[in-house]
């Protein structure tokens, strides 16, 4: 079932500007993370979310702090969209004591439970069971919370997803399976690894499934708000395929990509389908905000990120005696 946003003037200015700011924050965070990697200041790899911002923001704007999300190895965008702070995030990337996971999680394992983020996961499809379990606990405890499970199209080849969806359908759990189809499973086109329709896979379990333009934050948010409300009424689970695109390679070291996708394809998506640029154009066309006001938001976000990076670079590393803390049960 395809979903489209109603293209008419809106009046909820505060929400629109918040969504624009959140998308700008994700893009700016990723730009800075990329520079930290290229300058050899950040250990390990990271996987850029740039280009997919409308998915995380459109969905998380429909959630409360008490709602849950699970993320992927490409998880910075979800973390920011769910309310994370730049300072703690950059500290985490740099392995510093003040990071969300005290520097032990790094880029691919950030969790922020104060905002319902149960964590990024380096295992493809690995968080589907966690999100389904969170939804089960919400139903069992009657908290009214909803869980959203973000995963990529490559995760549709993992058996855990289908075990989880089967249980969710049987128990009518308040969970939304959000499949970010960015066209590639690492370096392979989605159609070369996924037979048939992705939404049909969920429908096989009796799960209502939707497809939406993942570059349109209003379309994503409109659908997310409707499905979250239905989950709270006990009508879940749901499955959503969000068509999107990553601007960078699979990870920051994936620079020479022409052997699996063309420069022309990348430039077309960046020039014509950028979710932030297009939402900004819509906001100005509807006279909700001026171009100068959007530029001011962009400048403020970039200044916040620069300050957070500088803070994280100077922050303390954990003491050596913390290496097994929160890993093993503390002796009593």
């Amino acid at each position: 079932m395809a979903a489209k946003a109603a293209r008419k003037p809106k009046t909820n200015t505060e929400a629109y500007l918040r969504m624009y700011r959140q998308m700008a924050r994700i893009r700016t965070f990723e730009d800075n993370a990329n520079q930290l990697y290229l300058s050899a200041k950040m250990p390990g790899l990271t996987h850029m979310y740039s280009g997919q911002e409308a998915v995380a923001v459109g969905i998380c704007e429909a959630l409360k702090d008490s709602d849950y999300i699970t993320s992927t190895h490409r998880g910075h965008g979800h973390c920011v969209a769910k309310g994370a702070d730049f300072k703690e995030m950059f500290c985490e990337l740099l392995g510093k004591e003040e990071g969300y996971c005290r520097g032990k999680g790094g880029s691919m394992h950030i969790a922020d439970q104060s905002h319902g983020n149960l964590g990024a996961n380096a295992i493809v499809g690995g968080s589907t069971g966690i999100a389904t379990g969170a939804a089960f606990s919400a139903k069992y405890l009657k908290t009214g919370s909803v869980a959203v499970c973000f995963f990529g199209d490559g995760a549709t080849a993992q058996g855990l997803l289908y075990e989880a969806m089967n249980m969710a359908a049987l128990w009518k759990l308040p969970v939304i399976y959000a499949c970010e189809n960015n066209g590639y499973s690492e370096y392979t086109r989605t159609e070369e690894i996924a037979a048939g329709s992705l939404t049909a896979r969920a429908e096989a379990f009796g799960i209502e499934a939707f497809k939406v333009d993942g570059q349109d934050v209003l379309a994503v948010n409109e659908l997310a708000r409707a499905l979250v409300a239905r989950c709270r009424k006990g009508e879940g689970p749901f499955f959503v395929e969000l068509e999107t695109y990553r601007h960078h390679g699979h990870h920051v070291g994936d620079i020479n990509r022409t052997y699996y996708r063309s420069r022309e394809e990348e430039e077309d998506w960046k020039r014509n389908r950028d979710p932030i640029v297009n939402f900004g154009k819509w906001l100005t066309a509807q006279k909700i905000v001026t171009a100068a006001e959007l530029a001011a938001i962009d400048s403020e976000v970039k200044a916040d990120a620069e300050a957070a990076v500088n803070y994280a670079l100077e922050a303390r590393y954990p003491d050596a005696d913390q290496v097994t803390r929160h890993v093993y049960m503390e002796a009593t």
Side-chain angles (χ1 to χ4, degrees), residues 4 8 11 25 33 45 59 69 74-75 146 152 210 231 256 261 300 311 322 325:
K4 295 182 179 179
K8 59 183 180 181
T11 57
R25 291 181 76 239
L45 288 176
I59 290 177
I69 67 165
R74 198 179 310 284
V146 173
F210 302 82
C231 275
N256 299 315
R261 72 183 200 187
E300 182 183 337
Y311 181 91
Q322 297 295 301
R325 186 84 189 277

Side-chain angles (χ1 to χ4, degrees), residues 236-247:
F238 299 102
F239 182 100
V240 182
E241 179 185 353
L242 303 111
E243 297 175 302
T244 184
Y245 195 81
R246 52 174 164 86
H247 286 182

Side-chain angles (χ1 to χ4, degrees), residues 115-290:
H115 292 107
N117 180 358
L118 300 180
N121 200 308
I123 304 301
V124 174
S127 67
T128 53
I130 299 171
T132 305
F136 176 81
S137 73
K139 181 171 183 176
Y140 182 79
L141 297 173
K142 300 179 181 179
T143 63
S145 294
V146 173
V148 174
C149 178
F150 291 101
F151 57 95
D153 47 284
T156 60
Q158 299 296 322
L160 175 60
L161 171 64
Y162 301 101
E163 294 180 58
M165 287 198 298
N166 183 63
M167 288 188 288
L170 286 171
W171 299 334
K172 300 190 183 305
L173 299 182
V175 58
I176 298 170
Y177 297 101
C179 177
E180 298 185 78
N181 185 354
N182 62 22
Y184 293 89
S185 176
E186 295 190 346
Y187 319 104
T188 307
R189 289 186 176 276
T190 303
E191 58 263 30
E192 295 177 16
I193 60 97
S197 163
L198 298 185
T199 52
R201 298 181 180 201
E203 290 168 344
F205 295 99
I207 295 175
E208 201 170 338
F210 302 82
K211 182 180 288 190
V212 66
D213 180 0
Q215 303 306 88
D216 184 341
V217 71
L218 294 182
V220 174
N221 181 248
E222 184 175 46
L223 177 60
R225 284 188 290 108
L227 297 186
V228 167
R230 292 180 64 188
C231 275
R232 296 199 203 282
K233 293 191 293 184
E235 297 179 18
F238 299 102
F239 182 100
V240 182
E241 179 185 353
L242 303 111
E243 297 175 302
T244 184
Y245 195 81
R246 52 174 164 86
H247 286 182
H248 294 272
H250 172 55
H251 56 76
V252 284
D254 178 18
I255 297 172
N256 299 315
R257 300 182 288 277
T258 53
Y259 71 95
Y260 72 89
R261 72 183 200 187
S262 69
R263 289 192 178 91
E264 291 75 18
E265 176 185 293
E266 291 187 2
E267 287 305 312
D268 179 59
W269 277 87
K270 290 178 181 179
R271 186 183 307 111
N272 300 312
R273 302 290 308 282
D274 188 300
I276 303 175
V277 171
N278 288 347
F279 188 45
K281 289 179 179 178
W282 184 82
L283 289 170
T284 55
Q286 298 296 330
K287 302 188 185 307
I288 293 171
V289 68
T290 67

